[in-house]
Amino acid sequence: MRHTLVALLLALPSAATAQVRLVPASPVPPAPLAAPAAPMIPGAPLAMPAPIQAPVVALSTLEGQEKLGDAEYQPAVGQAGKDVIWVPTPESLVKALLTAAKVTKADYVVDLGSGDGRFPIAAARDFGARAHGIDYNGDMVALARRNAERAGVRTRVTFQRGDIFEADFSSATVVTLYLLPNLNLKLRPTILAMKPGTRVVSHAFDMGDWEPDETIRTDEATGYLWIVPAQIAGRWAFEVGNARFAATLAQTYQKLSASGGPITGGRVRGTEVILTFADGRELTGEVSENGLVGRGWTATRIGG
Ligand SMILES: C[S@@+](CC[C@H](N)C(=O)[O-])C[C@H]1O[C@@H](n2cnc3c(N)ncnc32)[C@H](O)[C@@H]1O
Protein backbone atom coordinates (compact mmCIF):
# COMPACT_ATOMS: atom_id res chain seq x y z
CA MET A 1 0.00 0.00 0.00
CA ARG A 2 2.88 2.34 0.71
CA HIS A 3 4.02 2.02 -2.84
CA THR A 4 0.57 2.95 -4.03
CA LEU A 5 0.76 6.06 -1.88
CA VAL A 6 4.07 7.07 -3.43
CA ALA A 7 2.40 6.63 -6.80
CA LEU A 8 -0.36 8.91 -5.59
CA LEU A 9 2.15 11.59 -4.67
CA LEU A 10 3.40 11.47 -8.22
CA ALA A 11 -0.05 11.34 -9.70
CA LEU A 12 -1.76 14.00 -7.61
CA PRO A 13 0.64 16.84 -7.15
CA SER A 14 -1.73 19.76 -7.04
CA ALA A 15 -4.15 21.37 -4.68
CA ALA A 16 -6.74 21.02 -7.41
CA THR A 17 -7.16 17.41 -6.36
CA ALA A 18 -9.65 17.62 -3.57
CA GLN A 19 -10.83 14.05 -3.63
CA VAL A 20 -8.76 10.93 -3.98
CA ARG A 21 -9.74 8.23 -6.39
CA LEU A 22 -7.85 5.00 -6.24
CA VAL A 23 -7.79 1.94 -8.41
CA PRO A 24 -9.06 -1.00 -6.35
CA ALA A 25 -6.33 -2.45 -4.27
CA SER A 26 -5.59 -5.61 -6.19
CA PRO A 27 -3.45 -6.11 -8.11
CA VAL A 28 -1.03 -3.62 -6.63
CA PRO A 29 1.11 -2.20 -9.43
CA PRO A 30 4.84 -2.85 -9.35
CA ALA A 31 6.62 -0.69 -6.84
CA PRO A 32 6.76 2.86 -8.17
CA LEU A 33 9.66 3.39 -5.82
CA ALA A 34 11.66 3.00 -8.99
CA ALA A 35 10.42 6.46 -9.88
CA PRO A 36 13.07 8.35 -7.90
CA ALA A 37 15.85 6.55 -9.67
CA ALA A 38 14.39 7.18 -13.10
CA PRO A 39 16.18 9.80 -15.12
CA MET A 40 14.60 13.22 -14.77
CA ILE A 41 13.80 15.05 -17.95
CA PRO A 42 13.57 18.75 -17.11
CA GLY A 43 10.12 20.07 -17.82
CA ALA A 44 8.65 16.66 -18.57
CA PRO A 45 5.23 16.06 -17.07
CA LEU A 46 5.15 13.89 -14.01
CA ALA A 47 4.39 10.25 -14.50
CA MET A 48 0.94 8.74 -14.23
CA PRO A 49 -1.38 11.67 -14.83
CA ALA A 50 -3.91 9.39 -16.54
CA PRO A 51 -7.49 9.72 -15.35
CA ILE A 52 -8.35 7.15 -12.76
CA GLN A 53 -11.87 5.78 -13.07
CA ALA A 54 -12.18 3.67 -9.99
CA PRO A 55 -14.69 4.36 -7.24
CA VAL A 56 -13.74 6.84 -4.60
CA VAL A 57 -11.92 5.10 -1.79
CA ALA A 58 -10.94 6.66 1.51
CA LEU A 59 -7.23 6.14 1.59
CA SER A 60 -7.15 6.46 5.33
CA THR A 61 -9.22 3.29 5.62
CA LEU A 62 -7.00 1.51 3.12
CA GLU A 63 -4.02 2.69 5.06
CA GLY A 64 -5.65 1.18 8.09
CA GLN A 65 -2.52 0.83 10.16
CA GLU A 66 -1.89 4.24 11.62
CA LYS A 67 -4.05 6.43 13.79
CA LEU A 68 -4.14 9.74 11.98
CA GLY A 69 -5.09 13.02 13.54
CA ASP A 70 -6.79 13.59 16.86
CA ALA A 71 -10.20 14.53 18.27
CA GLU A 72 -9.93 18.02 16.80
CA TYR A 73 -8.75 17.24 13.28
CA GLN A 74 -8.49 14.05 11.24
CA PRO A 75 -6.55 14.59 8.03
CA ALA A 76 -7.14 12.14 5.18
CA VAL A 77 -4.16 10.53 3.53
CA GLY A 78 -4.07 11.96 0.03
CA GLN A 79 -5.79 15.20 0.91
CA ALA A 80 -4.87 18.20 -1.21
CA GLY A 81 -1.93 20.39 -0.31
CA LYS A 82 -0.61 23.51 -1.98
CA ASP A 83 2.03 21.84 -4.14
CA VAL A 84 1.73 18.24 -3.02
CA ILE A 85 -0.84 16.10 -1.26
CA TRP A 86 -0.40 14.89 2.31
CA VAL A 87 0.91 11.36 2.74
CA PRO A 88 2.79 10.61 5.96
CA THR A 89 6.24 9.03 5.97
CA PRO A 90 6.27 5.67 7.77
CA GLU A 91 7.74 6.11 11.25
CA SER A 92 10.37 3.47 10.47
CA LEU A 93 11.73 5.56 7.59
CA VAL A 94 11.55 8.77 9.65
CA LYS A 95 13.85 7.11 12.17
CA ALA A 96 16.11 5.58 9.53
CA LEU A 97 16.55 8.89 7.70
CA LEU A 98 17.27 10.88 10.86
CA THR A 99 19.75 8.17 11.85
CA ALA A 100 21.43 8.31 8.44
CA ALA A 101 21.67 12.09 8.82
CA LYS A 102 23.42 11.51 12.17
CA VAL A 103 21.09 13.94 13.94
CA THR A 104 22.25 14.96 17.42
CA LYS A 105 21.15 17.47 20.02
CA ALA A 106 23.39 20.02 18.32
CA ASP A 107 21.19 19.96 15.21
CA TYR A 108 18.36 22.14 14.03
CA VAL A 109 16.13 19.96 11.84
CA VAL A 110 13.62 21.60 9.48
CA ASP A 111 10.92 19.60 7.69
CA LEU A 112 9.64 21.29 4.54
CA GLY A 113 5.97 20.34 4.28
CA SER A 114 5.75 18.98 7.80
CA GLY A 115 2.27 17.42 7.77
CA ASP A 116 1.41 16.02 11.20
CA GLY A 117 4.88 16.92 12.47
CA ARG A 118 6.38 13.45 12.61
CA PHE A 119 9.88 14.37 11.35
CA PRO A 120 10.44 17.33 13.72
CA ILE A 121 8.84 15.48 16.65
CA ALA A 122 11.02 12.39 16.13
CA ALA A 123 14.12 14.57 15.73
CA ALA A 124 13.48 16.14 19.14
CA ARG A 125 12.10 13.09 20.95
CA ASP A 126 14.52 10.43 19.69
CA PHE A 127 17.64 12.46 18.82
CA GLY A 128 17.46 15.44 21.20
CA ALA A 129 17.55 18.00 18.39
CA ARG A 130 15.71 21.28 18.06
CA ALA A 131 13.34 21.08 15.16
CA HIS A 132 10.91 23.07 13.07
CA GLY A 133 8.20 22.26 10.58
CA ILE A 134 6.70 24.39 7.81
CA ASP A 135 3.36 23.50 6.25
CA TYR A 136 0.93 25.50 4.16
CA ASN A 137 -2.09 23.82 5.75
CA GLY A 138 -2.98 25.60 9.01
CA ASP A 139 -4.96 22.62 10.31
CA MET A 140 -1.90 20.39 9.88
CA VAL A 141 0.26 22.96 11.65
CA ALA A 142 -2.16 23.05 14.60
CA LEU A 143 -2.29 19.24 14.67
CA ALA A 144 1.52 19.04 14.57
CA ARG A 145 1.75 21.42 17.54
CA ARG A 146 -0.69 19.28 19.53
CA ASN A 147 1.26 16.15 18.54
CA ALA A 148 4.47 17.79 19.77
CA GLU A 149 2.74 18.63 23.05
CA ARG A 150 1.58 15.03 23.42
CA ALA A 151 5.10 13.79 22.64
CA GLY A 152 6.50 16.05 25.37
CA VAL A 153 8.77 17.99 23.00
CA ARG A 154 6.85 21.22 22.61
CA THR A 155 9.72 23.31 24.01
CA ARG A 156 12.16 22.07 21.37
CA VAL A 157 9.85 21.90 18.35
CA THR A 158 8.15 24.75 16.54
CA PHE A 159 5.81 24.82 13.56
CA GLN A 160 4.87 27.60 11.21
CA ARG A 161 2.17 27.96 8.62
CA GLY A 162 3.98 29.04 5.48
CA ASP A 163 5.06 28.29 1.96
CA ILE A 164 8.30 26.33 1.78
CA PHE A 165 9.30 28.34 -1.28
CA GLU A 166 9.08 31.59 0.66
CA ALA A 167 10.19 30.57 4.14
CA ASP A 168 13.79 31.04 5.28
CA PHE A 169 15.22 27.72 6.43
CA SER A 170 18.88 28.67 5.93
CA SER A 171 19.75 28.05 9.59
CA ALA A 172 18.79 24.37 9.39
CA THR A 173 21.60 21.88 9.84
CA VAL A 174 19.34 19.05 8.64
CA VAL A 175 16.53 19.39 6.10
CA THR A 176 13.89 16.69 5.70
CA LEU A 177 11.66 16.32 2.64
CA TYR A 178 8.76 14.25 1.37
CA LEU A 179 7.62 16.26 -1.58
CA LEU A 180 7.91 15.48 -5.30
CA PRO A 181 10.82 15.26 -7.74
CA ASN A 182 10.04 18.62 -9.36
CA LEU A 183 9.73 20.32 -5.95
CA ASN A 184 13.06 18.85 -4.83
CA LEU A 185 14.62 20.26 -7.99
CA LYS A 186 13.08 23.66 -7.31
CA LEU A 187 14.59 23.62 -3.80
CA ARG A 188 17.96 22.31 -4.95
CA PRO A 189 19.71 25.67 -5.62
CA THR A 190 18.68 26.93 -2.17
CA ILE A 191 19.86 23.71 -0.55
CA LEU A 192 23.19 23.74 -2.40
CA ALA A 193 23.79 27.28 -1.11
CA MET A 194 23.38 26.15 2.51
CA LYS A 195 26.31 25.71 4.86
CA PRO A 196 28.59 22.87 3.76
CA GLY A 197 27.87 19.81 5.85
CA THR A 198 24.12 20.45 6.00
CA ARG A 199 22.40 17.06 5.63
CA VAL A 200 19.32 16.64 3.50
CA VAL A 201 17.11 13.57 3.57
CA SER A 202 14.23 12.88 1.23
CA HIS A 203 11.60 10.18 1.37
CA ALA A 204 11.18 8.54 -2.05
CA PHE A 205 12.28 11.33 -4.35
CA ASP A 206 15.67 12.27 -5.68
CA MET A 207 17.46 15.50 -6.62
CA GLY A 208 17.89 14.94 -10.33
CA ASP A 209 21.56 14.64 -11.30
CA TRP A 210 22.77 15.45 -7.77
CA GLU A 211 23.33 11.85 -6.75
CA PRO A 212 22.63 10.95 -3.14
CA ASP A 213 25.52 10.25 -0.79
CA GLU A 214 23.52 7.35 0.63
CA THR A 215 20.34 5.39 -0.13
CA ILE A 216 18.35 4.24 2.88
CA ARG A 217 15.92 1.36 2.56
CA THR A 218 13.47 0.05 5.13
CA ASP A 219 10.90 -2.69 4.65
CA GLU A 220 8.34 0.01 3.94
CA ALA A 221 10.04 2.69 1.89
CA THR A 222 13.21 4.18 0.46
CA GLY A 223 14.91 7.49 1.13
CA TYR A 224 18.08 9.37 0.27
CA LEU A 225 20.75 11.40 2.04
CA TRP A 226 22.78 14.25 0.59
CA ILE A 227 25.47 16.24 2.37
CA VAL A 228 25.85 19.79 1.07
CA PRO A 229 29.37 19.88 -0.34
CA ALA A 230 31.85 22.72 0.18
CA GLN A 231 32.67 24.39 -3.13
CA ILE A 232 36.34 23.91 -3.88
CA ALA A 233 36.52 24.17 -7.65
CA GLY A 234 39.53 26.23 -8.76
CA ARG A 235 43.29 26.19 -8.97
CA TRP A 236 45.23 25.11 -5.91
CA ALA A 237 48.88 25.05 -4.86
CA PHE A 238 49.55 21.80 -3.00
CA GLU A 239 52.27 20.96 -0.49
CA VAL A 240 52.24 17.23 0.14
CA GLY A 241 55.19 16.18 2.25
CA ASN A 242 58.20 17.51 0.35
CA ALA A 243 56.33 17.70 -2.95
CA ARG A 244 54.99 20.95 -4.40
CA PHE A 245 52.59 21.05 -7.32
CA ALA A 246 49.59 22.94 -8.65
CA ALA A 247 46.33 21.36 -9.77
CA THR A 248 42.97 22.54 -11.02
CA LEU A 249 39.90 21.00 -9.42
CA ALA A 250 36.55 20.87 -11.21
CA GLN A 251 33.48 20.04 -9.16
CA THR A 252 30.06 18.62 -9.98
CA TYR A 253 28.09 18.50 -6.73
CA GLN A 254 30.20 16.20 -4.50
CA LYS A 255 32.40 14.81 -7.29
CA LEU A 256 35.83 16.22 -8.16
CA SER A 257 37.95 15.84 -11.25
CA ALA A 258 41.48 17.24 -11.40
CA SER A 259 43.94 18.32 -14.05
CA GLY A 260 47.44 19.78 -14.25
CA GLY A 261 48.95 17.70 -11.43
CA PRO A 262 49.22 14.18 -10.07
CA ILE A 263 45.73 14.27 -8.56
CA THR A 264 43.08 12.73 -10.81
CA GLY A 265 39.85 13.26 -8.89
CA GLY A 266 38.09 12.92 -5.59
CA ARG A 267 34.99 13.84 -3.68
CA VAL A 268 33.68 16.29 -1.12
CA ARG A 269 31.44 15.23 1.75
CA GLY A 270 30.40 18.40 3.53
CA THR A 271 33.73 19.94 4.50
CA GLU A 272 35.64 16.68 4.20
CA VAL A 273 37.77 16.29 1.06
CA ILE A 274 39.16 13.09 -0.38
CA LEU A 275 41.59 13.47 -3.27
CA THR A 276 42.80 10.53 -5.30
CA PHE A 277 46.05 10.02 -7.19
CA ALA A 278 46.44 8.00 -10.35
CA ASP A 279 48.09 5.18 -8.38
CA GLY A 280 45.07 4.93 -6.06
CA ARG A 281 46.59 6.74 -3.08
CA GLU A 282 44.25 9.13 -1.29
CA LEU A 283 44.65 12.39 0.58
CA THR A 284 41.98 13.13 3.12
CA GLY A 285 41.52 16.52 4.69
CA GLU A 286 39.17 19.34 5.55
CA VAL A 287 38.12 22.55 3.87
CA SER A 288 39.14 25.38 6.20
CA GLU A 289 39.16 29.15 5.96
CA ASN A 290 42.79 29.00 4.85
CA GLY A 291 42.37 26.32 2.23
CA LEU A 292 42.55 22.55 2.31
CA VAL A 293 44.29 20.93 5.26
CA GLY A 294 45.10 17.32 5.92
CA ARG A 295 47.64 15.34 7.88
CA GLY A 296 50.95 16.14 6.20
CA TRP A 297 49.48 18.24 3.41
CA THR A 298 47.91 21.60 2.63
CA ALA A 299 46.56 23.35 -0.43
CA THR A 300 46.18 27.09 -0.95
CA ARG A 301 43.84 28.57 -3.49
CA ILE A 302 45.64 30.36 -6.31
CA GLY A 303 42.75 30.80 -8.71
CA GLY A 304 38.96 30.71 -8.90
C1 LIG B 1 3.77 14.27 1.39
S1 LIG B 1 3.34 15.28 2.77
C2 LIG B 1 4.74 14.99 3.83
C3 LIG B 1 4.45 15.25 5.28
C4 LIG B 1 5.62 14.99 6.23
N1 LIG B 1 6.80 15.72 5.83
C5 LIG B 1 5.94 13.51 6.28
O1 LIG B 1 6.95 13.11 5.68
O2 LIG B 1 5.19 12.77 6.91
C6 LIG B 1 3.62 16.92 2.10
C7 LIG B 1 3.15 18.06 2.97
O3 LIG B 1 3.55 19.28 2.31
C8 LIG B 1 2.56 20.26 2.51
N2 LIG B 1 2.73 21.26 1.44
C9 LIG B 1 2.43 21.15 0.13
N3 LIG B 1 2.84 22.23 -0.54
C10 LIG B 1 3.41 23.08 0.36
C11 LIG B 1 4.03 24.36 0.29
N4 LIG B 1 4.18 25.02 -0.87
N5 LIG B 1 4.48 24.92 1.42
C12 LIG B 1 4.34 24.28 2.62
N6 LIG B 1 3.78 23.06 2.74
C13 LIG B 1 3.32 22.45 1.63
C14 LIG B 1 1.26 19.50 2.48
O4 LIG B 1 0.23 20.22 3.18
C15 LIG B 1 1.65 18.19 3.17
O5 LIG B 1 1.38 18.24 4.55
PDB file of all heavy atoms in Angstrom, residues 251-266:
ATOM      1  N   GLN A 251      34.402  20.661 -10.107  1.00  0.00           N
ATOM      2  CA  GLN A 251      33.479  20.038  -9.161  1.00  0.00           C
ATOM      3  C   GLN A 251      32.076  19.965  -9.740  1.00  0.00           C
ATOM      4  O   GLN A 251      31.557  20.943 -10.277  1.00  0.00           O
ATOM      5  CB  GLN A 251      33.454  20.860  -7.859  1.00  0.00           C
ATOM      6  CG  GLN A 251      32.566  20.273  -6.779  1.00  0.00           C
ATOM      7  CD  GLN A 251      32.747  20.970  -5.441  1.00  0.00           C
ATOM      8  OE1 GLN A 251      33.562  21.893  -5.304  1.00  0.00           O
ATOM      9  NE2 GLN A 251      31.986  20.547  -4.450  1.00  0.00           N
ATOM     10  N   THR A 252      31.475  18.796  -9.662  1.00  0.00           N
ATOM     11  CA  THR A 252      30.057  18.624  -9.979  1.00  0.00           C
ATOM     12  C   THR A 252      29.402  18.034  -8.738  1.00  0.00           C
ATOM     13  O   THR A 252      29.616  16.857  -8.418  1.00  0.00           O
ATOM     14  CB  THR A 252      29.875  17.666 -11.184  1.00  0.00           C
ATOM     15  OG1 THR A 252      30.676  18.141 -12.260  1.00  0.00           O
ATOM     16  CG2 THR A 252      28.415  17.611 -11.616  1.00  0.00           C
ATOM     17  N   TYR A 253      28.661  18.886  -8.020  1.00  0.00           N
ATOM     18  CA  TYR A 253      28.091  18.501  -6.732  1.00  0.00           C
ATOM     19  C   TYR A 253      29.221  17.981  -5.824  1.00  0.00           C
ATOM     20  O   TYR A 253      30.155  18.710  -5.570  1.00  0.00           O
ATOM     21  CB  TYR A 253      26.947  17.490  -6.903  1.00  0.00           C
ATOM     22  CG  TYR A 253      25.890  17.995  -7.856  1.00  0.00           C
ATOM     23  CD1 TYR A 253      25.691  17.405  -9.105  1.00  0.00           C
ATOM     24  CD2 TYR A 253      25.115  19.104  -7.528  1.00  0.00           C
ATOM     25  CE1 TYR A 253      24.734  17.881  -9.975  1.00  0.00           C
ATOM     26  CE2 TYR A 253      24.153  19.594  -8.396  1.00  0.00           C
ATOM     27  CZ  TYR A 253      23.969  18.973  -9.620  1.00  0.00           C
ATOM     28  OH  TYR A 253      23.029  19.452 -10.495  1.00  0.00           O
ATOM     29  N   GLN A 254      29.180  16.700  -5.436  1.00  0.00           N
ATOM     30  CA  GLN A 254      30.198  16.203  -4.502  1.00  0.00           C
ATOM     31  C   GLN A 254      31.370  15.538  -5.226  1.00  0.00           C
ATOM     32  O   GLN A 254      32.299  15.060  -4.567  1.00  0.00           O
ATOM     33  CB  GLN A 254      29.574  15.237  -3.473  1.00  0.00           C
ATOM     34  CG  GLN A 254      29.008  13.929  -3.990  1.00  0.00           C
ATOM     35  CD  GLN A 254      27.592  14.011  -4.474  1.00  0.00           C
ATOM     36  OE1 GLN A 254      27.334  14.652  -5.485  1.00  0.00           O
ATOM     37  NE2 GLN A 254      26.664  13.337  -3.792  1.00  0.00           N
ATOM     38  N   LYS A 255      31.338  15.514  -6.545  1.00  0.00           N
ATOM     39  CA  LYS A 255      32.398  14.813  -7.287  1.00  0.00           C
ATOM     40  C   LYS A 255      33.447  15.787  -7.811  1.00  0.00           C
ATOM     41  O   LYS A 255      33.101  16.852  -8.329  1.00  0.00           O
ATOM     42  CB  LYS A 255      31.789  14.047  -8.457  1.00  0.00           C
ATOM     43  CG  LYS A 255      30.906  12.906  -8.016  1.00  0.00           C
ATOM     44  CD  LYS A 255      30.363  12.163  -9.209  1.00  0.00           C
ATOM     45  CE  LYS A 255      29.356  11.117  -8.751  1.00  0.00           C
ATOM     46  NZ  LYS A 255      28.579  10.567  -9.844  1.00  0.00           N
ATOM     47  N   LEU A 256      34.729  15.382  -7.698  1.00  0.00           N
ATOM     48  CA  LEU A 256      35.828  16.221  -8.165  1.00  0.00           C
ATOM     49  C   LEU A 256      36.558  15.537  -9.308  1.00  0.00           C
ATOM     50  O   LEU A 256      36.737  14.312  -9.308  1.00  0.00           O
ATOM     51  CB  LEU A 256      36.840  16.436  -7.036  1.00  0.00           C
ATOM     52  CG  LEU A 256      36.356  17.153  -5.774  1.00  0.00           C
ATOM     53  CD1 LEU A 256      37.442  17.086  -4.702  1.00  0.00           C
ATOM     54  CD2 LEU A 256      36.002  18.606  -6.087  1.00  0.00           C
ATOM     55  N   SER A 257      36.967  16.330 -10.277  1.00  0.00           N
ATOM     56  CA  SER A 257      37.954  15.844 -11.247  1.00  0.00           C
ATOM     57  C   SER A 257      39.100  16.847 -11.195  1.00  0.00           C
ATOM     58  O   SER A 257      38.915  18.006 -10.806  1.00  0.00           O
ATOM     59  CB  SER A 257      37.348  15.735 -12.648  1.00  0.00           C
ATOM     60  OG  SER A 257      36.838  16.982 -13.044  1.00  0.00           O
ATOM     61  N   ALA A 258      40.300  16.385 -11.560  1.00  0.00           N
ATOM     62  CA  ALA A 258      41.480  17.244 -11.404  1.00  0.00           C
ATOM     63  C   ALA A 258      42.338  17.178 -12.647  1.00  0.00           C
ATOM     64  O   ALA A 258      42.368  16.167 -13.348  1.00  0.00           O
ATOM     65  CB  ALA A 258      42.277  16.800 -10.180  1.00  0.00           C
ATOM     66  N   SER A 259      43.027  18.281 -12.906  1.00  0.00           N
ATOM     67  CA  SER A 259      43.940  18.322 -14.045  1.00  0.00           C
ATOM     68  C   SER A 259      45.156  19.157 -13.672  1.00  0.00           C
ATOM     69  O   SER A 259      45.122  19.939 -12.718  1.00  0.00           O
ATOM     70  CB  SER A 259      43.227  18.927 -15.267  1.00  0.00           C
ATOM     71  OG  SER A 259      42.720  20.207 -14.935  1.00  0.00           O
ATOM     72  N   GLY A 260      46.239  18.959 -14.411  1.00  0.00           N
ATOM     73  CA  GLY A 260      47.438  19.783 -14.249  1.00  0.00           C
ATOM     74  C   GLY A 260      48.353  19.328 -13.144  1.00  0.00           C
ATOM     75  O   GLY A 260      49.334  20.000 -12.834  1.00  0.00           O
ATOM     76  N   GLY A 261      48.085  18.184 -12.512  1.00  0.00           N
ATOM     77  CA  GLY A 261      48.947  17.703 -11.429  1.00  0.00           C
ATOM     78  C   GLY A 261      48.747  16.210 -11.268  1.00  0.00           C
ATOM     79  O   GLY A 261      48.033  15.586 -12.053  1.00  0.00           O
ATOM     80  N   PRO A 262      49.332  15.626 -10.245  1.00  0.00           N
ATOM     81  CA  PRO A 262      49.219  14.178 -10.074  1.00  0.00           C
ATOM     82  C   PRO A 262      47.865  13.705  -9.538  1.00  0.00           C
ATOM     83  O   PRO A 262      47.574  12.511  -9.529  1.00  0.00           O
ATOM     84  CB  PRO A 262      50.337  13.867  -9.064  1.00  0.00           C
ATOM     85  CG  PRO A 262      50.517  15.133  -8.299  1.00  0.00           C
ATOM     86  CD  PRO A 262      50.217  16.253  -9.251  1.00  0.00           C
ATOM     87  N   ILE A 263      47.046  14.653  -9.079  1.00  0.00           N
ATOM     88  CA  ILE A 263      45.728  14.267  -8.560  1.00  0.00           C
ATOM     89  C   ILE A 263      44.779  14.072  -9.745  1.00  0.00           C
ATOM     90  O   ILE A 263      44.770  14.867 -10.695  1.00  0.00           O
ATOM     91  CB  ILE A 263      45.199  15.361  -7.613  1.00  0.00           C
ATOM     92  CG1 ILE A 263      46.064  15.390  -6.355  1.00  0.00           C
ATOM     93  CG2 ILE A 263      43.743  15.134  -7.238  1.00  0.00           C
ATOM     94  CD1 ILE A 263      45.802  16.572  -5.456  1.00  0.00           C
ATOM     95  N   THR A 264      43.986  13.008  -9.691  1.00  0.00           N
ATOM     96  CA  THR A 264      43.080  12.732 -10.814  1.00  0.00           C
ATOM     97  C   THR A 264      41.622  13.049 -10.483  1.00  0.00           C
ATOM     98  O   THR A 264      40.818  13.289 -11.381  1.00  0.00           O
ATOM     99  CB  THR A 264      43.164  11.250 -11.218  1.00  0.00           C
ATOM    100  OG1 THR A 264      42.937  10.453 -10.049  1.00  0.00           O
ATOM    101  CG2 THR A 264      44.525  10.921 -11.808  1.00  0.00           C
ATOM    102  N   GLY A 265      41.259  13.010  -9.228  1.00  0.00           N
ATOM    103  CA  GLY A 265      39.852  13.260  -8.889  1.00  0.00           C
ATOM    104  C   GLY A 265      39.648  13.199  -7.396  1.00  0.00           C
ATOM    105  O   GLY A 265      40.599  13.305  -6.621  1.00  0.00           O
ATOM    106  N   GLY A 266      38.383  13.019  -7.014  1.00  0.00           N
ATOM    107  CA  GLY A 266      38.091  12.921  -5.595  1.00  0.00           C
ATOM    108  C   GLY A 266      36.645  13.244  -5.313  1.00  0.00           C
ATOM    109  O   GLY A 266      35.800  13.256  -6.221  1.00  0.00           O
TER     110      GLY A 266
END
